[in-house]
Amino acid sequence: MICRILLLISLTSCVSGTFEVEVTQTSYQAEENHNITLEWMFTTKPDSSSTSLNIYCDMVTDNNEGSVLYHVHKGDEVPESQDKQFAGRVQSDTDALREGRIRLHVSRLRTNDSGLYTCEVYTDYGTNSDRCDLNVTAAVDQPEPQKPTESPQPESRVRISLFVGLTAAGLAVCAGLCFVFRLCYKSVKREHTVVYETENMDAAE
Ligand SMILES: *[C@@H]1O[C@H](CO)[C@@H](O)[C@H](O)[C@H]1NC(C)=O
Ligand SMILES: *[C@@H]1O[C@H](CO)[C@@H](O)[C@H](O)[C@H]1NC(C)=O
């Protein structure tokens, strides 16, 4: 009996003492124009009134003000308090909210959505918060800006090799011509000498 009472006391103190908010993922990676679902879990209590639930989900900015991503006031979503940066781009899952899950589907991501996101959850049985990182990288499938920097290199390389090739061919032709010319010249000269010598011999006889 004493044991049961102790167990009951420790259980109730456990439940009422720890209200937890936890991200399901501490860091997200996404590409520009893609979608992502950010998720937080928080402790629920069946007998607690839903009107005691208040949630503030913000993107933490440098000036410490934060842009509102999602706001729940006394159990109701307040879309008008959302920052214009996220207007029309955030869908929440209200069914998940009842189960203690904040699921925020952010669509058409921009690179400047990158940053730290935090959700603070206030209930009549506790308050807590947790944060996660989102990194949105620029889309990679845009080859236009890279083409002009890449193409001059192969072109100039082709030009250089063409120049080297033509010069080599020219030199080879030159050398060949010189060789042929020298051969011709030598044989002509020899013929001359032979003719001259035979003429001389004829004259002597
Ligand atoms: C992103 O979400 C929007 C609606 O929220 C949907 O129309 C679109 O198809 C989604 N795109 C991708 C790549 O999942
Ligand atoms: C973020 O980038 C979009 C365009 O991608 C621009 O319209 C918007 O003003 C930017 N927001 C901030 C806070 O710089």
Side-chain angles (χ1 to χ4, degrees), residues 32 67 83-85 89 109-113:
E32 198 175 14
S67 330
D83 199 277
K84 66 173 185 293
Q85 183 184 349
R89 294 199 293 135
L109 287 169
R110 307 163 178 170
T111 51
N112 61 15
D113 289 332

Side-chain angles (χ1 to χ4, degrees), residues 170-205:
L171 282 176
V173 166
C174 242
L177 280 177
C178 278
F179 185 69
V180 169
F181 183 73
R182 268 181 70 183
L183 271 185
C184 287
Y185 180 73
K186 263 188 195 164
S187 65
V188 167
K189 202 177 165 190
R190 199 178 300 136
E191 260 172 40
H192 260 286
T193 332
V194 170
V195 168
Y196 180 72
E197 271 172 6
T198 43
E199 274 175 0
N200 270 2
M201 273 160 76
D202 286 346
E205 272 176 27

